[in-house]
Amino acid sequence: VLRLKHPATGVDTGRALALTCDGNHRWCALDPRRGTALVVAEGVANLACAGARPLALVNCLNFGNPEHPTTMWELSEAIDGMAEACRALSVPVVGGNVSLYNESRGRDIDPTPVVGMVGMIDRLVSPPPGAGLVEGTRLVVLGAGPDTLSGSRWAWRQGHKAGSPPALDLAAHRVVCDLVRDLVADGLVLGVKDTADGGLGVALAEMAAASGVGAVVRAPEGADHRWVYGETPSRFVLAVDPAAVAEVHRRHTAAGVAAAVVGEAGGGRLAIEGLAGGANVDAPAADVVAAWRGALPALLGHGTTQG
């Protein structure tokens, strides 16, 4: 988020720009048209988490050899998917480029469109809440649950690289993003994260790692690991002060958006309980923080530091 000052006087305008960059080759490998629309939708969701309305999009379309019929079809489908999402979400495309003939050992790369998006925060009175947890807050899951594990990080790690990516209702996505943006702008959430990349479980882990605060979450009856790891850009985790829960409930009900209080932030562990089949999660919050901060230095090896 970049605070805007008047270009001549330097006086704070009270507004700010929010920037995000997104891509997901897993979704696009399964369905380049829907996958690209999902990438655009995730960008709008990320801006909403900062309290910003989308202004414009640029893209980089990374594909294999367009002389191969399948690759040319993937490129055409991705462009159509981006256009459909941008029209539905009122995001003009103002620039972009392509990177073609990308191959590895004679194999075309997965279709990998990447989008950069800029949004406007019309009234910036304090920094946005960020993707963290706050001790004692209620955790609210906003938006419909996932309909599939296909295309998710979880599925990819199990070797499942088939099926269809998550369904996307662009009209409903616009409604839930507008709701999240207004909740952030009005100071009704103290932490917020979308679940598009990795699902609810990864979103909670990222929030715990960013803040060093744990959480205990109770899954709804009958939910299994799909509730934790399924991905959709139309689903958010909110950390809400107990005093603001009633107002958040009033607003999501008025907007026709599903929501549920699923737990509370605080304590020294990150736990997701009540999952069918015993697929529960329970880890010390300190271990979550250490894994998050230590991953890149461990991969890069010697000569790196962390601070």
Side-chain angles (χ1 to χ4, degrees), residues 68-122:
H68 297 160
T70 298
T71 300
M72 193 64 229
W73 172 81
E74 290 171 343
L75 176 59
S76 176
E77 287 288 283
I79 292 170
D80 287 345
M82 181 178 295
E84 290 168 1
C86 286
R87 291 189 187 101
L89 300 172
S90 300
V91 185
V93 178
V94 298
N97 71 301
V98 296
S99 176
L100 303 177
Y101 296 95
N102 294 291
E103 299 170 284
S104 178
R105 298 178 181 177
R107 179 184 176 275
D108 290 319
I109 66 165
D110 289 335
T112 311
V114 176
V115 302
M117 202 174 296
V118 61
M120 175 66 72
I121 300 175
D122 293 307

mmCIF file of all heavy atoms in Angstrom, residues 68-122:
data_model
loop_
_atom_site.group_PDB
_atom_site.id
_atom_site.type_symbol
_atom_site.label_atom_id
_atom_site.label_comp_id
_atom_site.label_asym_id
_atom_site.label_seq_id
_atom_site.Cartn_x
_atom_site.Cartn_y
_atom_site.Cartn_z
ATOM 1 N N HIS A 68 2.603 -25.163 -31.399
ATOM 2 C CA HIS A 68 1.912 -26.386 -31.018
ATOM 3 C C HIS A 68 0.423 -26.061 -30.855
ATOM 4 O O HIS A 68 0.070 -25.121 -30.133
ATOM 5 C CB HIS A 68 2.466 -26.935 -29.705
ATOM 6 C CG HIS A 68 3.912 -27.334 -29.797
ATOM 7 N ND1 HIS A 68 4.725 -27.466 -28.687
ATOM 8 C CD2 HIS A 68 4.690 -27.626 -30.883
ATOM 9 C CE1 HIS A 68 5.934 -27.823 -29.077
ATOM 10 N NE2 HIS A 68 5.943 -27.927 -30.401
ATOM 11 N N PRO A 69 -0.475 -26.784 -31.494
ATOM 12 C CA PRO A 69 -1.908 -26.456 -31.432
ATOM 13 C C PRO A 69 -2.456 -26.358 -30.014
ATOM 14 O O PRO A 69 -3.260 -25.471 -29.716
ATOM 15 C CB PRO A 69 -2.562 -27.597 -32.217
ATOM 16 C CG PRO A 69 -1.502 -28.053 -33.163
ATOM 17 C CD PRO A 69 -0.207 -27.912 -32.417
ATOM 18 N N THR A 70 -2.017 -27.252 -29.130
ATOM 19 C CA THR A 70 -2.534 -27.212 -27.756
ATOM 20 C C THR A 70 -2.135 -25.926 -27.058
ATOM 21 O O THR A 70 -2.946 -25.299 -26.351
ATOM 22 C CB THR A 70 -2.021 -28.426 -26.959
ATOM 23 O OG1 THR A 70 -2.496 -29.624 -27.566
ATOM 24 C CG2 THR A 70 -2.508 -28.366 -25.514
ATOM 25 N N THR A 71 -0.889 -25.494 -27.249
ATOM 26 C CA THR A 71 -0.427 -24.262 -26.619
ATOM 27 C C THR A 71 -1.183 -23.054 -27.152
ATOM 28 O O THR A 71 -1.561 -22.146 -26.396
ATOM 29 C CB THR A 71 1.081 -24.082 -26.833
ATOM 30 O OG1 THR A 71 1.774 -25.185 -26.246
ATOM 31 C CG2 THR A 71 1.572 -22.790 -26.199
ATOM 32 N N MET A 72 -1.419 -23.024 -28.462
ATOM 33 C CA MET A 72 -2.154 -21.899 -29.040
ATOM 34 C C MET A 72 -3.577 -21.860 -28.496
ATOM 35 O O MET A 72 -4.117 -20.789 -28.215
ATOM 36 C CB MET A 72 -2.185 -22.038 -30.561
ATOM 37 C CG MET A 72 -2.641 -20.779 -31.272
ATOM 38 S SD MET A 72 -1.499 -19.398 -31.023
ATOM 39 C CE MET A 72 -2.636 -18.101 -30.555
ATOM 40 N N TRP A 73 -4.176 -23.043 -28.291
ATOM 41 C CA TRP A 73 -5.514 -23.103 -27.694
ATOM 42 C C TRP A 73 -5.475 -22.583 -26.260
ATOM 43 O O TRP A 73 -6.365 -21.823 -25.845
ATOM 44 C CB TRP A 73 -6.008 -24.547 -27.724
ATOM 45 C CG TRP A 73 -7.286 -24.768 -26.962
ATOM 46 C CD1 TRP A 73 -8.554 -24.513 -27.387
ATOM 47 C CD2 TRP A 73 -7.393 -25.288 -25.626
ATOM 48 N NE1 TRP A 73 -9.458 -24.846 -26.407
ATOM 49 C CE2 TRP A 73 -8.780 -25.321 -25.313
ATOM 50 C CE3 TRP A 73 -6.477 -25.721 -24.681
ATOM 51 C CZ2 TRP A 73 -9.248 -25.771 -24.084
ATOM 52 C CZ3 TRP A 73 -6.937 -26.183 -23.456
ATOM 53 C CH2 TRP A 73 -8.304 -26.206 -23.164
ATOM 54 N N GLU A 74 -4.461 -22.980 -25.487
ATOM 55 C CA GLU A 74 -4.331 -22.504 -24.103
ATOM 56 C C GLU A 74 -4.230 -20.986 -24.058
ATOM 57 O O GLU A 74 -4.870 -20.334 -23.216
ATOM 58 C CB GLU A 74 -3.092 -23.129 -23.450
ATOM 59 C CG GLU A 74 -3.201 -24.612 -23.183
ATOM 60 C CD GLU A 74 -1.893 -25.231 -22.741
ATOM 61 O OE1 GLU A 74 -0.822 -24.585 -22.953
ATOM 62 O OE2 GLU A 74 -1.908 -26.344 -22.198
ATOM 63 N N LEU A 75 -3.440 -20.400 -24.958
ATOM 64 C CA LEU A 75 -3.278 -18.949 -24.986
ATOM 65 C C LEU A 75 -4.602 -18.263 -25.314
ATOM 66 O O LEU A 75 -4.995 -17.285 -24.665
ATOM 67 C CB LEU A 75 -2.210 -18.575 -26.013
ATOM 68 C CG LEU A 75 -1.960 -17.082 -26.247
ATOM 69 C CD1 LEU A 75 -1.534 -16.390 -24.956
ATOM 70 C CD2 LEU A 75 -0.900 -16.888 -27.329
ATOM 71 N N SER A 76 -5.318 -18.787 -26.310
ATOM 72 C CA SER A 76 -6.603 -18.207 -26.692
ATOM 73 C C SER A 76 -7.610 -18.295 -25.551
ATOM 74 O O SER A 76 -8.322 -17.322 -25.247
ATOM 75 C CB SER A 76 -7.134 -18.922 -27.932
ATOM 76 O OG SER A 76 -8.424 -18.458 -28.286
ATOM 77 N N GLU A 77 -7.675 -19.467 -24.901
ATOM 78 C CA GLU A 77 -8.601 -19.647 -23.796
ATOM 79 C C GLU A 77 -8.268 -18.727 -22.618
ATOM 80 O O GLU A 77 -9.161 -18.164 -21.971
ATOM 81 C CB GLU A 77 -8.573 -21.108 -23.334
ATOM 82 C CG GLU A 77 -9.237 -22.077 -24.283
ATOM 83 C CD GLU A 77 -10.747 -21.929 -24.286
ATOM 84 O OE1 GLU A 77 -11.397 -22.405 -23.341
ATOM 85 O OE2 GLU A 77 -11.270 -21.303 -25.237
ATOM 86 N N ALA A 78 -6.983 -18.567 -22.324
ATOM 87 C CA ALA A 78 -6.576 -17.708 -21.212
ATOM 88 C C ALA A 78 -6.986 -16.262 -21.462
ATOM 89 O O ALA A 78 -7.462 -15.564 -20.554
ATOM 90 C CB ALA A 78 -5.073 -17.809 -20.995
ATOM 91 N N ILE A 79 -6.808 -15.795 -22.683
ATOM 92 C CA ILE A 79 -7.191 -14.420 -23.019
ATOM 93 C C ILE A 79 -8.700 -14.238 -22.853
ATOM 94 O O ILE A 79 -9.166 -13.232 -22.293
ATOM 95 C CB ILE A 79 -6.745 -14.077 -24.448
ATOM 96 C CG1 ILE A 79 -5.212 -14.002 -24.517
ATOM 97 C CG2 ILE A 79 -7.359 -12.754 -24.906
ATOM 98 C CD1 ILE A 79 -4.659 -13.914 -25.918
ATOM 99 N N ASP A 80 -9.476 -15.216 -23.318
ATOM 100 C CA ASP A 80 -10.934 -15.118 -23.169
ATOM 101 C C ASP A 80 -11.339 -15.135 -21.697
ATOM 102 O O ASP A 80 -12.240 -14.398 -21.278
ATOM 103 C CB ASP A 80 -11.610 -16.267 -23.910
ATOM 104 C CG ASP A 80 -11.562 -16.100 -25.427
ATOM 105 O OD1 ASP A 80 -11.266 -14.982 -25.893
ATOM 106 O OD2 ASP A 80 -11.800 -17.094 -26.141
ATOM 107 N N GLY A 81 -10.690 -15.991 -20.902
ATOM 108 C CA GLY A 81 -11.011 -16.036 -19.479
ATOM 109 C C GLY A 81 -10.685 -14.738 -18.764
ATOM 110 O O GLY A 81 -11.451 -14.275 -17.908
ATOM 111 N N MET A 82 -9.556 -14.136 -19.120
ATOM 112 C CA MET A 82 -9.188 -12.852 -18.527
ATOM 113 C C MET A 82 -10.195 -11.778 -18.911
ATOM 114 O O MET A 82 -10.623 -10.966 -18.067
ATOM 115 C CB MET A 82 -7.780 -12.443 -18.983
ATOM 116 C CG MET A 82 -7.296 -11.133 -18.391
ATOM 117 S SD MET A 82 -5.610 -10.725 -18.906
ATOM 118 C CE MET A 82 -4.704 -12.076 -18.137
ATOM 119 N N ALA A 83 -10.592 -11.761 -20.179
ATOM 120 C CA ALA A 83 -11.547 -10.754 -20.638
ATOM 121 C C ALA A 83 -12.886 -10.881 -19.912
ATOM 122 O O ALA A 83 -13.472 -9.879 -19.489
ATOM 123 C CB ALA A 83 -11.744 -10.881 -22.145
ATOM 124 N N GLU A 84 -13.369 -12.111 -19.765
ATOM 125 C CA GLU A 84 -14.649 -12.320 -19.081
ATOM 126 C C GLU A 84 -14.593 -11.826 -17.641
ATOM 127 O O GLU A 84 -15.517 -11.159 -17.153
ATOM 128 C CB GLU A 84 -14.998 -13.808 -19.109
ATOM 129 C CG GLU A 84 -15.373 -14.326 -20.486
ATOM 130 C CD GLU A 84 -15.426 -15.841 -20.539
ATOM 131 O OE1 GLU A 84 -15.192 -16.490 -19.491
ATOM 132 O OE2 GLU A 84 -15.689 -16.381 -21.634
ATOM 133 N N ALA A 85 -13.507 -12.176 -16.939
ATOM 134 C CA ALA A 85 -13.393 -11.762 -15.540
ATOM 135 C C ALA A 85 -13.250 -10.254 -15.420
ATOM 136 O O ALA A 85 -13.851 -9.627 -14.533
ATOM 137 C CB ALA A 85 -12.202 -12.461 -14.891
ATOM 138 N N CYS A 86 -12.467 -9.651 -16.296
ATOM 139 C CA CYS A 86 -12.251 -8.213 -16.214
ATOM 140 C C CYS A 86 -13.536 -7.434 -16.494
ATOM 141 O O CYS A 86 -13.808 -6.416 -15.849
ATOM 142 C CB CYS A 86 -11.146 -7.791 -17.179
ATOM 143 S SG CYS A 86 -9.484 -8.249 -16.633
ATOM 144 N N ARG A 87 -14.335 -7.916 -17.439
ATOM 145 C CA ARG A 87 -15.614 -7.247 -17.703
ATOM 146 C C ARG A 87 -16.544 -7.363 -16.493
ATOM 147 O O ARG A 87 -17.179 -6.394 -16.090
ATOM 148 C CB ARG A 87 -16.279 -7.856 -18.934
ATOM 149 C CG ARG A 87 -15.568 -7.552 -20.249
ATOM 150 C CD ARG A 87 -16.422 -8.000 -21.445
ATOM 151 N NE ARG A 87 -15.682 -7.863 -22.688
ATOM 152 C CZ ARG A 87 -15.097 -8.883 -23.329
ATOM 153 N NH1 ARG A 87 -15.207 -10.111 -22.828
ATOM 154 N NH2 ARG A 87 -14.436 -8.693 -24.441
ATOM 155 N N ALA A 88 -16.623 -8.561 -15.920
ATOM 156 C CA ALA A 88 -17.536 -8.788 -14.802
ATOM 157 C C ALA A 88 -17.125 -8.012 -13.559
ATOM 158 O O ALA A 88 -17.972 -7.597 -12.768
ATOM 159 C CB ALA A 88 -17.609 -10.277 -14.487
ATOM 160 N N LEU A 89 -15.818 -7.806 -13.378
ATOM 161 C CA LEU A 89 -15.313 -7.155 -12.170
ATOM 162 C C LEU A 89 -14.906 -5.702 -12.409
ATOM 163 O O LEU A 89 -14.348 -5.054 -11.521
ATOM 164 C CB LEU A 89 -14.115 -7.949 -11.629
ATOM 165 C CG LEU A 89 -14.440 -9.410 -11.257
ATOM 166 C CD1 LEU A 89 -13.164 -10.175 -10.911
ATOM 167 C CD2 LEU A 89 -15.422 -9.466 -10.094
ATOM 168 N N SER A 90 -15.190 -5.190 -13.617
ATOM 169 C CA SER A 90 -14.909 -3.782 -13.979
ATOM 170 C C SER A 90 -13.441 -3.428 -13.783
ATOM 171 O O SER A 90 -13.095 -2.427 -13.153
ATOM 172 C CB SER A 90 -15.804 -2.830 -13.171
ATOM 173 O OG SER A 90 -17.169 -3.077 -13.417
ATOM 174 N N VAL A 91 -12.559 -4.249 -14.356
ATOM 175 C CA VAL A 91 -11.117 -4.013 -14.273
ATOM 176 C C VAL A 91 -10.572 -3.890 -15.691
ATOM 177 O O VAL A 91 -10.425 -4.901 -16.393
ATOM 178 C CB VAL A 91 -10.394 -5.159 -13.537
ATOM 179 C CG1 VAL A 91 -8.921 -4.810 -13.354
ATOM 180 C CG2 VAL A 91 -11.037 -5.448 -12.200
ATOM 181 N N PRO A 92 -10.256 -2.695 -16.166
ATOM 182 C CA PRO A 92 -9.706 -2.554 -17.515
ATOM 183 C C PRO A 92 -8.272 -3.079 -17.594
ATOM 184 O O PRO A 92 -7.496 -2.932 -16.650
ATOM 185 C CB PRO A 92 -9.747 -1.040 -17.758
ATOM 186 C CG PRO A 92 -9.688 -0.431 -16.399
ATOM 187 C CD PRO A 92 -10.431 -1.382 -15.497
ATOM 188 N N VAL A 93 -7.938 -3.694 -18.723
ATOM 189 C CA VAL A 93 -6.563 -4.115 -18.985
ATOM 190 C C VAL A 93 -5.861 -2.971 -19.709
ATOM 191 O O VAL A 93 -6.240 -2.606 -20.821
ATOM 192 C CB VAL A 93 -6.533 -5.399 -19.837
ATOM 193 C CG1 VAL A 93 -5.091 -5.798 -20.155
ATOM 194 C CG2 VAL A 93 -7.244 -6.537 -19.126
ATOM 195 N N VAL A 94 -4.836 -2.415 -19.097
ATOM 196 C CA VAL A 94 -4.175 -1.225 -19.649
ATOM 197 C C VAL A 94 -2.793 -1.520 -20.219
ATOM 198 O O VAL A 94 -2.135 -0.623 -20.742
ATOM 199 C CB VAL A 94 -4.076 -0.112 -18.580
ATOM 200 C CG1 VAL A 94 -5.455 0.341 -18.134
ATOM 201 C CG2 VAL A 94 -3.251 -0.575 -17.384
ATOM 202 N N GLY A 95 -2.355 -2.771 -20.137
ATOM 203 C CA GLY A 95 -1.056 -3.111 -20.700
ATOM 204 C C GLY A 95 -0.751 -4.567 -20.465
ATOM 205 O O GLY A 95 -1.443 -5.261 -19.719
ATOM 206 N N GLY A 96 0.301 -5.038 -21.131
ATOM 207 C CA GLY A 96 0.692 -6.419 -20.942
ATOM 208 C C GLY A 96 1.722 -6.847 -21.961
ATOM 209 O O GLY A 96 2.123 -6.082 -22.837
ATOM 210 N N ASN A 97 2.172 -8.074 -21.832
ATOM 211 C CA ASN A 97 3.119 -8.630 -22.789
ATOM 212 C C ASN A 97 2.974 -10.144 -22.780
ATOM 213 O O ASN A 97 2.274 -10.705 -21.944
ATOM 214 C CB ASN A 97 4.555 -8.217 -22.452
ATOM 215 C CG ASN A 97 5.064 -8.906 -21.211
ATOM 216 O OD1 ASN A 97 4.498 -8.772 -20.129
ATOM 217 N ND2 ASN A 97 6.136 -9.664 -21.353
ATOM 218 N N VAL A 98 3.639 -10.806 -23.713
ATOM 219 C CA VAL A 98 3.635 -12.260 -23.752
ATOM 220 C C VAL A 98 5.069 -12.773 -23.687
ATOM 221 O O VAL A 98 6.006 -12.105 -24.106
ATOM 222 C CB VAL A 98 2.949 -12.813 -25.022
ATOM 223 C CG1 VAL A 98 1.485 -12.456 -25.051
ATOM 224 C CG2 VAL A 98 3.651 -12.315 -26.278
ATOM 225 N N SER A 99 5.208 -13.955 -23.128
ATOM 226 C CA SER A 99 6.477 -14.680 -23.129
ATOM 227 C C SER A 99 6.171 -16.074 -23.657
ATOM 228 O O SER A 99 5.558 -16.882 -22.959
ATOM 229 C CB SER A 99 7.073 -14.738 -21.721
ATOM 230 O OG SER A 99 8.255 -15.514 -21.709
ATOM 231 N N LEU A 100 6.588 -16.337 -24.897
ATOM 232 C CA LEU A 100 6.246 -17.583 -25.570
ATOM 233 C C LEU A 100 7.483 -18.455 -25.774
ATOM 234 O O LEU A 100 8.600 -18.057 -25.460
ATOM 235 C CB LEU A 100 5.581 -17.286 -26.914
ATOM 236 C CG LEU A 100 4.327 -16.404 -26.858
ATOM 237 C CD1 LEU A 100 3.809 -16.110 -28.252
ATOM 238 C CD2 LEU A 100 3.231 -17.052 -26.005
ATOM 239 N N TYR A 101 7.256 -19.652 -26.288
ATOM 240 C CA TYR A 101 8.328 -20.633 -26.555
ATOM 241 C C TYR A 101 9.055 -21.036 -25.278
ATOM 242 O O TYR A 101 10.248 -21.324 -25.300
ATOM 243 C CB TYR A 101 9.319 -20.090 -27.587
ATOM 244 C CG TYR A 101 8.704 -19.854 -28.943
ATOM 245 C CD1 TYR A 101 8.227 -18.583 -29.297
ATOM 246 C CD2 TYR A 101 8.573 -20.894 -29.867
ATOM 247 C CE1 TYR A 101 7.652 -18.365 -30.544
ATOM 248 C CE2 TYR A 101 8.002 -20.677 -31.110
ATOM 249 C CZ TYR A 101 7.544 -19.421 -31.442
ATOM 250 O OH TYR A 101 6.957 -19.212 -32.674
ATOM 251 N N ASN A 102 8.331 -21.047 -24.154
ATOM 252 C CA ASN A 102 8.929 -21.484 -22.891
ATOM 253 C C ASN A 102 8.792 -22.996 -22.772
ATOM 254 O O ASN A 102 7.685 -23.530 -22.657
ATOM 255 C CB ASN A 102 8.227 -20.802 -21.707
ATOM 256 C CG ASN A 102 8.463 -19.304 -21.707
ATOM 257 O OD1 ASN A 102 9.568 -18.849 -21.480
ATOM 258 N ND2 ASN A 102 7.415 -18.540 -21.980
ATOM 259 N N GLU A 103 9.938 -23.676 -22.802
ATOM 260 C CA GLU A 103 9.957 -25.131 -22.744
ATOM 261 C C GLU A 103 11.052 -25.594 -21.784
ATOM 262 O O GLU A 103 12.032 -24.883 -21.553
ATOM 263 C CB GLU A 103 10.220 -25.722 -24.132
ATOM 264 C CG GLU A 103 9.171 -25.359 -25.175
ATOM 265 C CD GLU A 103 9.581 -25.758 -26.575
ATOM 266 O OE1 GLU A 103 10.430 -25.069 -27.152
ATOM 267 O OE2 GLU A 103 9.058 -26.769 -27.082
ATOM 268 N N SER A 104 10.876 -26.754 -21.241
ATOM 269 C CA SER A 104 11.890 -27.369 -20.390
ATOM 270 C C SER A 104 12.046 -28.822 -20.812
ATOM 271 O O SER A 104 11.083 -29.600 -20.746
ATOM 272 C CB SER A 104 11.486 -27.279 -18.913
ATOM 273 O OG SER A 104 12.448 -27.919 -18.095
ATOM 274 N N ARG A 105 13.242 -29.166 -21.300
ATOM 275 C CA ARG A 105 13.536 -30.527 -21.759
ATOM 276 C C ARG A 105 12.531 -30.981 -22.815
ATOM 277 O O ARG A 105 12.057 -32.113 -22.810
ATOM 278 C CB ARG A 105 13.572 -31.498 -20.588
ATOM 279 C CG ARG A 105 14.671 -31.164 -19.572
ATOM 280 C CD ARG A 105 14.652 -32.116 -18.395
ATOM 281 N NE ARG A 105 15.717 -31.752 -17.433
ATOM 282 C CZ ARG A 105 15.910 -32.376 -16.272
ATOM 283 N NH1 ARG A 105 15.126 -33.388 -15.930
ATOM 284 N NH2 ARG A 105 16.879 -31.995 -15.468
ATOM 285 N N GLY A 106 12.188 -30.049 -23.693
ATOM 286 C CA GLY A 106 11.306 -30.369 -24.800
ATOM 287 C C GLY A 106 9.835 -30.361 -24.472
ATOM 288 O O GLY A 106 9.007 -30.641 -25.340
ATOM 289 N N ARG A 107 9.488 -30.007 -23.244
ATOM 290 C CA ARG A 107 8.076 -29.996 -22.829
ATOM 291 C C ARG A 107 7.622 -28.569 -22.587
ATOM 292 O O ARG A 107 8.307 -27.797 -21.918
ATOM 293 C CB ARG A 107 7.892 -30.822 -21.553
ATOM 294 C CG ARG A 107 6.471 -30.844 -21.026
ATOM 295 C CD ARG A 107 6.372 -31.601 -19.708
ATOM 296 N NE ARG A 107 5.040 -31.561 -19.147
ATOM 297 C CZ ARG A 107 4.571 -30.566 -18.386
ATOM 298 N NH1 ARG A 107 5.358 -29.529 -18.096
ATOM 299 N NH2 ARG A 107 3.331 -30.599 -17.913
ATOM 300 N N ASP A 108 6.469 -28.207 -23.146
ATOM 301 C CA ASP A 108 5.918 -26.872 -22.923
ATOM 302 C C ASP A 108 5.599 -26.667 -21.443
ATOM 303 O O ASP A 108 5.129 -27.590 -20.768
ATOM 304 C CB ASP A 108 4.630 -26.673 -23.734
ATOM 305 C CG ASP A 108 4.887 -26.570 -25.223
ATOM 306 O OD1 ASP A 108 5.861 -25.909 -25.604
ATOM 307 O OD2 ASP A 108 4.114 -27.174 -25.999
ATOM 308 N N ILE A 109 5.848 -25.455 -20.953
ATOM 309 C CA ILE A 109 5.470 -25.151 -19.572
ATOM 310 C C ILE A 109 3.957 -25.151 -19.446
ATOM 311 O O ILE A 109 3.228 -25.049 -20.433
ATOM 312 C CB ILE A 109 6.023 -23.784 -19.117
ATOM 313 C CG1 ILE A 109 5.363 -22.638 -19.908
ATOM 314 C CG2 ILE A 109 7.539 -23.733 -19.220
ATOM 315 C CD1 ILE A 109 5.576 -21.267 -19.289
ATOM 316 N N ASP A 110 3.475 -25.286 -18.218
ATOM 317 C CA ASP A 110 2.054 -25.091 -17.970
ATOM 318 C C ASP A 110 1.676 -23.657 -18.336
ATOM 319 O O ASP A 110 2.483 -22.732 -18.151
ATOM 320 C CB ASP A 110 1.724 -25.329 -16.496
ATOM 321 C CG ASP A 110 1.819 -26.792 -16.096
ATOM 322 O OD1 ASP A 110 1.669 -27.653 -16.975
ATOM 323 O OD2 ASP A 110 2.057 -27.057 -14.897
ATOM 324 N N PRO A 111 0.463 -23.429 -18.837
ATOM 325 C CA PRO A 111 0.035 -22.046 -19.076
ATOM 326 C C PRO A 111 0.081 -21.251 -17.778
ATOM 327 O O PRO A 111 -0.511 -21.660 -16.781
ATOM 328 C CB PRO A 111 -1.397 -22.196 -19.602
ATOM 329 C CG PRO A 111 -1.831 -23.576 -19.178
ATOM 330 C CD PRO A 111 -0.592 -24.401 -19.135
ATOM 331 N N THR A 112 0.818 -20.134 -17.800
ATOM 332 C CA THR A 112 1.055 -19.385 -16.562
ATOM 333 C C THR A 112 0.844 -17.891 -16.779
ATOM 334 O O THR A 112 1.800 -17.108 -16.832
ATOM 335 C CB THR A 112 2.476 -19.654 -16.028
ATOM 336 O OG1 THR A 112 2.717 -21.061 -15.998
ATOM 337 C CG2 THR A 112 2.642 -19.101 -14.623
ATOM 338 N N PRO A 113 -0.399 -17.452 -16.951
ATOM 339 C CA PRO A 113 -0.641 -16.007 -17.010
ATOM 340 C C PRO A 113 -0.449 -15.375 -15.633
ATOM 341 O O PRO A 113 -0.872 -15.937 -14.615
ATOM 342 C CB PRO A 113 -2.102 -15.915 -17.464
ATOM 343 C CG PRO A 113 -2.711 -17.203 -17.005
ATOM 344 C CD PRO A 113 -1.629 -18.234 -17.079
ATOM 345 N N VAL A 114 0.212 -14.247 -15.610
ATOM 346 C CA VAL A 114 0.443 -13.501 -14.376
ATOM 347 C C VAL A 114 -0.186 -12.120 -14.540
ATOM 348 O O VAL A 114 -0.056 -11.495 -15.595
ATOM 349 C CB VAL A 114 1.955 -13.364 -14.086
ATOM 350 C CG1 VAL A 114 2.202 -12.496 -12.861
ATOM 351 C CG2 VAL A 114 2.582 -14.746 -13.892
ATOM 352 N N VAL A 115 -0.872 -11.650 -13.510
ATOM 353 C CA VAL A 115 -1.499 -10.329 -13.568
ATOM 354 C C VAL A 115 -0.954 -9.446 -12.450
ATOM 355 O O VAL A 115 -0.693 -9.906 -11.344
ATOM 356 C CB VAL A 115 -3.035 -10.400 -13.474
ATOM 357 C CG1 VAL A 115 -3.604 -11.271 -14.584
ATOM 358 C CG2 VAL A 115 -3.497 -10.906 -12.124
ATOM 359 N N GLY A 116 -0.762 -8.188 -12.791
ATOM 360 C CA GLY A 116 -0.480 -7.163 -11.794
ATOM 361 C C GLY A 116 -1.664 -6.220 -11.748
ATOM 362 O O GLY A 116 -2.193 -5.830 -12.794
ATOM 363 N N MET A 117 -2.117 -5.881 -10.548
ATOM 364 C CA MET A 117 -3.325 -5.078 -10.419
ATOM 365 C C MET A 117 -3.087 -3.931 -9.441
ATOM 366 O O MET A 117 -2.369 -4.084 -8.459
ATOM 367 C CB MET A 117 -4.485 -5.960 -9.929
ATOM 368 C CG MET A 117 -5.867 -5.416 -10.232
ATOM 369 S SD MET A 117 -7.197 -6.581 -9.773
ATOM 370 C CE MET A 117 -6.856 -7.948 -10.889
ATOM 371 N N VAL A 118 -3.672 -2.794 -9.760
ATOM 372 C CA VAL A 118 -3.583 -1.635 -8.886
ATOM 373 C C VAL A 118 -4.991 -1.227 -8.472
ATOM 374 O O VAL A 118 -5.941 -1.316 -9.258
ATOM 375 C CB VAL A 118 -2.854 -0.457 -9.590
ATOM 376 C CG1 VAL A 118 -3.595 -0.016 -10.839
ATOM 377 C CG2 VAL A 118 -2.675 0.720 -8.644
ATOM 378 N N GLY A 119 -5.141 -0.824 -7.213
ATOM 379 C CA GLY A 119 -6.432 -0.394 -6.699
ATOM 380 C C GLY A 119 -6.300 0.888 -5.898
ATOM 381 O O GLY A 119 -5.193 1.280 -5.506
ATOM 382 N N MET A 120 -7.423 1.521 -5.640
ATOM 383 C CA MET A 120 -7.452 2.789 -4.910
ATOM 384 C C MET A 120 -8.104 2.611 -3.546
ATOM 385 O O MET A 120 -9.185 2.026 -3.433
ATOM 386 C CB MET A 120 -8.241 3.834 -5.706
ATOM 387 C CG MET A 120 -8.432 5.163 -4.990
ATOM 388 S SD MET A 120 -6.864 6.045 -4.732
ATOM 389 C CE MET A 120 -6.521 6.570 -6.424
ATOM 390 N N ILE A 121 -7.427 3.091 -2.521
ATOM 391 C CA ILE A 121 -8.015 3.220 -1.186
ATOM 392 C C ILE A 121 -8.462 4.671 -1.063
ATOM 393 O O ILE A 121 -7.635 5.583 -1.026
ATOM 394 C CB ILE A 121 -6.998 2.856 -0.089
ATOM 395 C CG1 ILE A 121 -6.522 1.412 -0.260
ATOM 396 C CG2 ILE A 121 -7.617 3.053 1.296
ATOM 397 C CD1 ILE A 121 -5.426 1.006 0.701
ATOM 398 N N ASP A 122 -9.761 4.885 -1.036
ATOM 399 C CA ASP A 122 -10.285 6.249 -1.089
ATOM 400 C C ASP A 122 -10.094 7.018 0.210
ATOM 401 O O ASP A 122 -10.031 8.253 0.198
ATOM 402 C CB ASP A 122 -11.775 6.214 -1.440
ATOM 403 C CG ASP A 122 -12.011 5.707 -2.854
ATOM 404 O OD1 ASP A 122 -11.393 6.258 -3.783
ATOM 405 O OD2 ASP A 122 -12.795 4.754 -3.028
#
